[in-house]
């Protein structure tokens, strides 16, 4: 009887131990100055479902007070360099342990792993670790050009994809010609862990704005970049007005005068030929 009970207890322990499972990527790359999300989901024995819990992220290959990057219950236990830069993007109760690190620094690179701690003294560290790589900041927003006709309203879109949100999320702004009034609308959409920030600029350009620059800038707390679009403004007939902008108004007047003169000469020659035929 004792042997049978021991066997059943062993099966129960194995079953419980198999319920501790974590799901995190092996590698994540972030750009210096931006922010990053390390996706994380975890499971645990169902008997702990209603137990209070806390989550800890370590910036090391093993647990230790000298390597805490985030602590859900006591932020004072976090390393000073992580203060106010780390948080969870989800809710621990929902088994979401995803970590967000804002304003990425070179020294943030390294291994990270998550540990769940229940008040009943049950705790578990989820391996393998996630290796965070930090690269130079090279992200630029993308501008989607639209057909621009002078005097007509047009929407120009600028987007940026990231995994960041919250207070350190990227901000999209526009630099436009000073005499072009416009309005801006911003939206954020999510697909999986990817967030798409979109800024739509609505403006009414004129022919004189052909060749001017239109820039969309992405700003993080410590870095920024921009993408520039050269405006191609068409007249109402769909033709690009090159002459006025390249040669200037005086040259255009001169060209018009030449055309009129040539037309007048052609008319005069035609009349002269006609008169000569009548005389013969």
């Amino acid at each position: 009887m004792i042997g049978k009970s021991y066997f059943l207890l062993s099966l129960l322990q194995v079953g419980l131990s198999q319920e501790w499972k974590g799901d995190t990527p092996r590698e994540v790359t972030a750009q210096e100055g931006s922010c990053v999300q390390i996706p994380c989901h975890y499971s645990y024995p169902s008997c702990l479902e209603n137990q209070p819990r806390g989550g800890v992220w370590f910036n090391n290959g093993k647990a230790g007070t000298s390597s805490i990057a985030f602590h859900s219950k006591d932020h004072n236990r976090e390393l000073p360099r992580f203060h106010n830069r780390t948080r969870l993007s989800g809710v621990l109760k929902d088994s979401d342990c995803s970590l967000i690190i804002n304003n990425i620094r070179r020294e943030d690179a390294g291994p990270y792993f998550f540990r769940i701690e229940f008040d009943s003294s049950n705790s578990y560290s989820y391996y393998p670790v996630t290796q965070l790589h930090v690269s130079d900041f090279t992200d630029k927003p993308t501008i989607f050009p639209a057909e621009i006709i002078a005097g007509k309203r047009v929407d120009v879109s600028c987007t940026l994809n990231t995994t960041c949100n919250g207070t350190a999320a990227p901000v999209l702004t526009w630099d436009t010609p000073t005499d072009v009034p416009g309005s801006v609308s911003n939206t954020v959409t999510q697909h999986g862990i990817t967030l798409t920030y979109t800024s739509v600029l609505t403006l009414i350009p004129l022919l004189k704005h052909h060749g001017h620059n239109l820039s969309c800038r992405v700003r993080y707390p410590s870095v920024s970049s921009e993408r520039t679009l050269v405006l191609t403004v068409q007249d109402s007939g769909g033709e690009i007005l090159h002459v006025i902008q390249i040669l200037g108004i005086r040259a255009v007047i001169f060209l018009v005068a030449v055309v009129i003169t040539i037309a007048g000469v052609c008319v005069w020659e035609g009349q002269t030929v006609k008169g000569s035929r009548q005389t013969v």
Side-chain angles (χ1 to χ4, degrees):
M1 184 68 180
I2 295 178
K4 185 177 180 180
S5 299
Y6 178 78
F7 176 71
L8 292 175
L9 179 61
S10 298
L11 286 179
L12 178 61
Q13 289 175 337
V14 171
L16 289 177
S17 65
Q18 289 179 342
E19 293 186 30
W20 297 99
K21 181 183 289 187
D23 182 15
T24 55
R26 298 298 297 272
E27 293 184 317
V28 172
T29 299
Q31 296 187 19
E32 185 176 13
S34 67
C35 50
V36 68
Q37 179 180 173
I38 301 178
C40 173
H41 292 84
Y42 71 101
S43 60
Y44 51 90
S46 58
C47 62
L48 300 173
E49 183 175 359
N50 296 320
Q51 292 282 341
R53 72 201 68 183
V56 185
W57 274 93
F58 295 91
N59 177 214
N60 206 328
K62 58 182 180 180
T65 57
S66 62
S67 59
I68 296 178
F70 173 81
H71 199 295
S72 65
K73 289 190 172 182
D74 188 359
H75 295 299
N76 291 324
R77 298 177 63 181
E78 300 167 358
L79 289 172
R81 66 186 178 89
F82 285 110
H83 280 175
N84 301 317
R85 291 201 301 124
T86 55
R87 63 183 177 86
L88 297 182
S89 65
V91 180
L92 285 178
K93 183 73 173 177
D94 298 333
S95 298
D96 188 345
C97 47
S98 301
L99 176 70
I100 286 184
I101 307 175
N102 295 320
N103 195 15
I104 289 290
R105 305 172 184 174
R106 288 286 179 178
E107 58 266 32
D108 294 337
Y112 288 78
F113 73 92
F114 175 72
R115 180 178 177 84
I116 190 70
E117 297 179 345
F118 291 90
D119 285 2
S120 59
S121 299
N122 286 284
S123 61
Y124 190 83
S125 296
Y126 295 91
Y127 289 97
V129 301
T130 296
Q131 189 71 32
L132 175 64
H133 305 281
V134 179
S135 62
D136 293 335
F137 181 75
T138 58
D139 267 355
K140 286 188 176 184
T142 299
I143 297 180
F144 294 92
E147 183 180 31
I148 302 176
I149 298 177
K152 293 187 177 181
R153 168 178 161 173
V154 64
D155 293 336
V156 183
S157 297
C158 176
T159 66
L160 180 79
N161 292 328
T162 182
T163 59
C164 302
N165 58 19
T167 57
V171 176
L172 295 175
T173 58
W174 291 90
D175 292 327
T176 64
T178 56
D179 59 343
V180 182
S183 60
V184 176
S185 62
N186 296 312
T187 58
V188 182
T189 57
Q190 185 168 1
H191 303 281
I193 66 170
T194 300
L195 295 168
T196 300
Y197 289 79
T198 302
S199 182
V200 178
L201 172 66
T202 301
L203 69 163
I204 304 177
L206 302 176
L207 283 172
K208 67 178 181 179
H209 300 125
H210 176 77
H212 287 204
N213 290 338
L214 184 67
S215 298
C216 177
R217 179 181 294 271
V218 56
R219 299 179 185 273
Y220 286 95
S222 60
V223 293
S224 65
S225 66
E226 68 178 29
R227 182 84 66 178
T228 298
L229 174 71
V230 179
L231 290 177
T232 301
V233 183
Q234 299 176 331
D235 66 19
S236 58
E239 298 296 328
I240 303 175
L241 188 63
H242 289 291
V243 178
I244 291 180
Q245 293 180 325
I246 297 175
L247 301 178
I249 189 64
R250 292 184 180 179
V252 173
I253 293 174
F254 173 76
L255 290 175
V256 172
V258 170
V259 171
I260 293 174
T261 301
I262 293 175
V265 170
C266 291
V267 172
W268 179 80
E269 288 182 349
Q271 291 176 346
T272 302
V273 171
K274 182 177 179 181
S276 300
R277 289 178 178 176
Q278 291 176 350
T279 302
V280 174

